């Protein structure tokens, strides 16, 4: 991955404690899994920023390599890759996600 | 890519694993894989999912739009 793209991705992740790469926007998700994660975050009242990967093909592909994770959505907390839809749902069920985001 | 082929790919990549594939819409696109594997022991859930994804590298680039995953240590 080129340095510029990597810097862009790192900058996005660093811009907020909780950061979500998703398809679509929180108000208009374009994929069921992205919608699922925004629902979880909303239900916890989480304050987060998101990036719509459908708006930028380089980020859409780059983020997969960056995280060594082949699918989107991808959730980051404090700069750490947390996981995709299934992991976020499971962590919310167990209470682990609430601890990480401090609610 | 049939559901059967996906199951075989995961099992080939994670020898000895038990794999159940669910294809709720019968479209081969929105698939869920339930994988039990002794090799998941001591790995985080992210690492466990990465191990499954690695067996389906090419499929995830192409036809499988989204793969739901549930992993447990067998």
């Amino acid at each position: 991955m080129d340095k510029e793209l990597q810097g862009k991705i790192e900058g996005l992740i660093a811009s907020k404690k909780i950061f979500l790469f998703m398809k679509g926007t929180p108000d208009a998700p374009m994929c069921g899994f992205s919608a699922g994660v925004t629902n979880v975050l909303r239900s916890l009242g989480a304050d987060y920023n998101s990036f719509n990967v459908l708006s930028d093909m380089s980020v859409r592909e780059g983020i997969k390599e960056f995280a060594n994770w082949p699918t989107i959505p991808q959730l980051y907390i404090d700069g750490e890759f947390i996981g995709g839809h299934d992991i976020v749902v499971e962590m919310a069920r167990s209470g682990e996600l609430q601890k990480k985001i401090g609610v | 890519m049939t559901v059967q082929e996906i199951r075989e790919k995961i099992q080939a990549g994670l020898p000895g694993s038990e794999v159940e594939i669910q294809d709720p819409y019968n479209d081969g696109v929105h698939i869920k894989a339930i994988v039990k594997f002794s090799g998941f022991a001591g790995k985080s859930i992210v690492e466990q999912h990465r191990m499954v994804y690695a067996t389906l590298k090419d499929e995830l680039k192409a036809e499988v739009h989204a793969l739901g995953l549930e992993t447990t240590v067998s």
Side-chain angles (χ1 to χ4, degrees), chain B:
Chain B
M1 193 80 191
T2 66
V3 165
Q4 176 64 18
E5 285 169 326
I6 290 171
R7 201 169 73 90
E8 283 169 5
K9 275 228 149 183
I10 295 174
Q11 283 180 320
L14 305 174
S17 60
E18 284 173 51
V19 183
E20 182 196 332
I21 307 284
Q22 296 173 350
D23 184 8
Y25 305 105
N26 205 28
D27 61 4
V29 176
H30 301 85
I31 290 172
K32 181 170 182 182
I34 299 168
V35 185
K36 276 190 200 171
F37 182 48
S38 57
F40 289 152
K43 311 263 193 216
S44 72
I45 185 165
V46 166
E47 288 170 316
Q48 293 176 12
H49 285 214
R50 278 192 181 125
M51 287 165 76
V52 178
Y53 284 139
T55 68
L56 295 169
K57 220 165 181 247
D58 299 331
E59 290 72 19
L60 285 164
K61 280 187 193 144
E63 60 260 66
V64 180
H65 162 74
L67 178 73
L69 272 185
E70 197 178 304
T71 56
T72 50
V73 181
S74 64

Side-chain angles (χ1 to χ4, degrees), chain A residues 77-91:
Chain A
I77 300 177
D78 292 324
E80 179 199 357
F81 174 66
I82 299 300
H85 171 269
D86 299 332
I87 291 176
V88 169
V89 169
E90 173 58 28
M91 286 175 71

Side-chain angles (χ1 to χ4, degrees), chain A residues 16-19 41-42 44-50 101 103:
Chain A
K16 193 87 175 172
K17 177 182 168 73
I18 308 171
F19 197 89
L41 294 174
R42 187 178 305 120
L44 300 179
D47 179 23
Y48 66 100
N49 278 354
S50 66
I101 67 179
V103 295

